Amino acid sequence: MEEIVESTLSLLTVKHDQSHVVSQKILDPIYFFALVDTKAVWFKKWMHAHYSRTTVLRLLEKKYKSLITTAIQQCVQYFELCKTRKAEETLGHSKHCRKKQKTFYYLGQELQYIYFIHSLCLLGRLLIYKQGRKLFPIKLKNKKGLVSLVDLIVLFTQLIYYSPSCPKMTSATHAENYSPASMVTEVLWILCDQKECAVECLYNNIVIETLLQPIHNLMKGTEASPNCSETALIHIAGILARVASVEEGLILLLYGANMNSSQESSTGAHIIAQFSKKLLDEDISIFSGSQMLPVVKGAFISVCRQIYSTCEGLQVLITYNLHESIAKAWKKTSLLSERIPTPVEGSDSVSSVSQESQNIMAWEDNLLDDLLHFAATPKGLLLLQRTGAINECMTFMFNRYAKKLQVSRHKKFGYGVLVTQVASTAAGGVALKKSGFINELITELWSNLEYGRDDVRVTHPRTTPVDPIDRSCQKSFLALVNLLSYPAIYELIKNQDLPNKTEYSLREVPTCVIDIIDRLIILNSEAKIRSLFNYEQSHIFGLRLLSVICCDLDTLLLLEAQYQVSEMLLNAQEENILETSESNRDFIIDGLSVERNHVLVRINLVGGPLERILPPRILEKSDNPYRWPMFSSYPLPNCYLSDITRNAGIKQEMGPKNKNTIFCVSGAMQRSVNNDLGKLLLCLKISDKQTEWIVNCRRQFCKMMKTKPDIISGEALVELLEKFVLHLTESPSECYFPSVEYTATDANVKNESLSSVQQLGIKMTVRYGKFLNLLKDGAENDLTLVLKHCERFLKQQQTSIKSSLLCLQGNYTGHDWFVSSLFMIMLGDKEKTFQFLRQFSRLLTSAFLWLPRLHISSYLPIDTVDSGIHPVYFCSTHYIEMLLKAELPLVFSAFHMSGFAPSQICLQWITQCFWNYLDWIEICHYIATCVFLGPDYQVYICIAIFKHLQQDILQHTQTQDLQVFLKEEALHGFRVSEYFEYMEILEQNYRTVLLRDMRNIRLQST
């Protein structure tokens, strides 16, 4: 093999003394190679295997480097021809001659062109490999300096827009496009797909500037280049889209190679966005009227789409309002498609009309696809909803999903993340329903769960399921988990009764969420049970789904208020009792009773990882396979109530027998605690220089959180919060919202009613508060009054709005978990709680901690209110995703591979103030940290949680149950105080950007 390779390379480097134009009498051997193998496939095959590649590269380096030199020389010479317009004349003459007669010979200029194509393909293949790139820089004859890798890529790039458009090879056997631009583009695409090669060759400012040079010229109103055509621009856009689809390339386009903030507006992303906007707004006259213009527009918007479908990319491009320009172009195109006349059979215009309609429809779909990709990020989804095209985008997405088409050319994973983002909002849930996506998902689930695949069952009987959820149903289960967030489920089931039919046909297939609840979860009649082919397996599926969606406490309260799910589960357990004698009643232990027992404990007991004990879902291999007591009525058995043990010198014993809190602290530690608290309280009393005392307070708070976090609780925490917020509201610069006069008394609000969800939430809060020994008898009435005052207080700051969304037709739809948490922090004191809330409502932090604060608020722009999306979603969770990608890229990738969005689980955590995920002391620390240090710490705490969970997240990505793990599992072992130093580093890096955007939520233009 080595002998053959060396002989071949020796033959190819034979040169005659002649000019660059091919002699009519003497040809070098390389020309014959180029004639029979124009694209240098021989070299591609030689470079494929490691053994032959090593030999080729070694020989090229030691003896036959001239082969590479002459290949580069050919590219340089062709480029010089292009610049002098001679290449166009040559190709034009060749095309003219071959039209007149069929010939069996090649002109000298054609041979030279074929040799150029051969050289181009050879060099492109060489650059893929590390050892091949090491052959550079190379010295050329008659040229000063050396040709580096970057020089060669720049040369290739210039060939795209300097070379003339070339027809296909005239030979019938060559059906491929051999135009210089398309050949160079193909080579650069291959280089883009090789990460190491792309970083070394393409990802630098010089190459990007060369690619963008024609765009610069067009925007200045000058000619792009002597030959730059629409086709050349399409090729350039294709390369830029490949660059933007990779993290390193995206960063280069966004910030440049030096990350120099002073020149941000001149980076590639800005230039591409400006050009795309001009194309959409038809501000560039040079291509007006061209049939290729829509293709050029689509190509460059595709590059923008790669950028704005990421959080960091959207932040850079948001000022250009591309969503508005794309939506405007889509509406215009949509109107055109409606006006296309119906073709009449026999008419000459049928083909032309048909082609025109196809082009318009393709352009319309392209624009919808561009709009759809705004939904990849929380803030982008807000922009999409503002365009009013979300229903059409979801229909477009569903049509692609139904045809099993990929989301987009450069997306590696499916529709999971997009669907999760969209389903995290009320309007998104409605749009998914209207599109038919939910119907299709549930139909597919039912087919797998109840019927199985008909084509398989003919020859292979269906196996008995071993897992609680069969593998065939796992994908559908995860899709439903992604879909059923509280904002979506509220719109889908609110005020809808269960069918509860007396008879169900075996052919009756569920088509909506209500049907799934009726047929799989609430099986309260014999008719429902008889309608299932696989009763136990299907009901376990429903109970598992109930367990996951009820981890969102608002969803739990909604289901309890409308369908009394806990009563249904208790009745089912009662029916599962075997009466062995008059005094002895035993529960039948089976898959369903064990699953129901787990769900009943989960939905009735509130608490963090150390505060409640959830029974397992599996049986043990012993004489007593299930030692956890079952029950068919409340209260729960005491064994599910945890004895809480705290470390760091403080112990709280709150078991079912002893719910008194005992602080075991030594005398020296007590003096230290009092001293630290005294220092912090002293800071609160000094208010001569507002800025200075705020800094001092925060510094002292951070010191306490790092050294003695457990003392920030109880009455000490109450005093700290009250005094700090009081002082902050006395400083006008710290007040974000204006002061609102409120004069209502308890008597004024006593007769007002709360929603059933709020009422159930109050009962849950009081139960939790009594368990922690924080609340006493009468707390339920006090919390009811506080919530009534809050609703009236916030109503004064709300705007009137007409919307089809149920969540915007009245008060806040969920329970107010922040007020409930604060009520418990204030030890059930209703006056202190409401007084604090009135003061706290003036601070920016209230917008992100207290979610009902901005429900249909008059402080928000009307289009933001109309979207039904809360700032916690489009601001906080947007930055959580952005920071997660930068700080924990493995975790971010795990989410995308799982088809799940971090924003959805973070929104759930934040909405319910981490209830059921953190222990009470950690919930207090979360609230205190955000109040003292600012709302951006909400983002840093979520990033710290993901850092804490990194290994678990990676593991559950492999087992394909990441979303179930994150929703069902408490945050074991996480303490806010242990990540304070890490969060301070995040603050240094990101606070300026985060706080600026958080303060901008009141602006009309985001």
Side-chain angles (χ1 to χ4, degrees), residues 778-934:
E780 189 171 329
N781 292 331
D782 290 342
L783 179 54
T784 302
L785 278 172
V786 171
L787 288 171
K788 287 180 177 180
H789 276 294
C790 288
E791 283 197 354
R792 176 174 284 205
F793 175 66
L794 294 177
K795 239 175 209 175
Q796 295 178 200
Q797 303 163 64
Q798 291 175 352
T799 185
S800 58
I801 182 172
K802 289 183 179 179
S803 174
S804 59
L805 295 177
L806 298 177
C807 66
L808 298 180
Q809 297 173 7
N811 294 326
Y812 182 71
T813 57
H815 180 68
D816 197 331
W817 299 105
F818 177 73
V819 170
S820 291
S821 302
L822 199 67
F823 183 73
M824 287 169 61
I825 288 173
M826 298 293 177
L827 305 176
D829 189 320
K830 70 176 190 293
E831 283 79 17
K832 276 187 177 182
T833 303
F834 187 60
Q835 180 62 26
F836 175 88
L837 286 167
R838 286 184 59 191
Q839 295 167 351
F840 180 66
S841 68
R842 300 193 62 194
L843 304 179
L844 176 62
T845 309
S846 68
F848 296 91
L849 278 187
W850 186 11
L851 269 71
R853 171 79 182 88
L854 290 183
H855 176 65
I856 54 174
S857 173
S858 57
Y859 301 122
L860 293 176
I862 190 64
D863 53 1
T864 302
V865 174
D866 196 46
S867 72
I869 301 179
H870 197 279
V872 165
Y873 181 75
F874 70 76
C875 193
S876 292
T877 67
H878 180 86
Y879 279 105
I880 288 167
E881 291 200 0
M882 182 171 148
L883 269 63
L884 190 63
K885 185 177 179 182
E887 298 293 326
L888 301 168
L890 288 178
V891 174
F892 183 81
S893 298
F895 271 99
H896 271 250
M897 289 174 66
S898 301
F900 188 55
S903 58
Q904 190 181 94
I905 186 63
C906 289
L907 182 64
Q908 183 172 315
W909 287 342
I910 291 166
T911 301
Q912 63 195 53
C913 285
F914 291 94
W915 281 39
N916 282 354
Y917 291 102
L918 292 176
D919 292 320
W920 175 245
I921 186 72
E922 299 306 322
I923 292 173
C924 292
H925 288 171
Y926 158 70
I927 292 172
T929 300
C930 292
V931 171
F932 268 86
L933 302 181

Side-chain angles (χ1 to χ4, degrees), residues 20-24 31 90 106-113:
H20 68 270
V21 178
V22 182
S23 168
Q24 294 179 357
Y31 284 98
T90 301
Y106 291 93
L107 299 175
Q109 294 93 336
E110 291 176 322
L111 272 178
Q112 204 67 37
Y113 179 69

Side-chain angles (χ1 to χ4, degrees), residues 324 404 426 436 641:
E324 294 179 358
K404 308 298 181 188
L641 306 176

Side-chain angles (χ1 to χ4, degrees), residues 150 153 188-209 211 239-253 256-258:
V150 173
I153 300 299
L188 292 180
W189 277 0
I190 293 170
L191 297 183
C192 284
D193 292 338
Q194 313 294 321
K195 184 178 178 180
E196 190 178 343
C197 171
V199 169
E200 202 170 334
C201 298
L202 285 162
Y203 298 159
N204 60 75
N205 278 343
I206 297 172
V207 173
I208 297 299
E209 285 170 7
L211 280 168
I239 296 165
L240 288 170
R242 298 247 176 172
V243 170
S245 67
V246 180
E247 182 64 20
E248 292 80 4
L250 178 63
I251 290 172
L252 179 66
L253 289 175
N258 302 320

Side-chain angles (χ1 to χ4, degrees), residues 714-729:
E715 293 183 0
L717 177 59
V718 174
E719 189 174 1
L720 290 173
L721 288 174
E722 282 183 321
K723 291 189 175 180
F724 185 73
V725 168
L726 176 63
H727 282 296
L728 278 183
T729 53

Side-chain angles (χ1 to χ4, degrees), residues 727-743:
H727 282 296
L728 278 183
T729 53
E730 289 173 352
S731 171
S733 62
E734 294 292 329
C735 292
Y736 183 77
F737 297 104
S739 177
V740 176
E741 186 178 349
Y742 183 78
T743 57

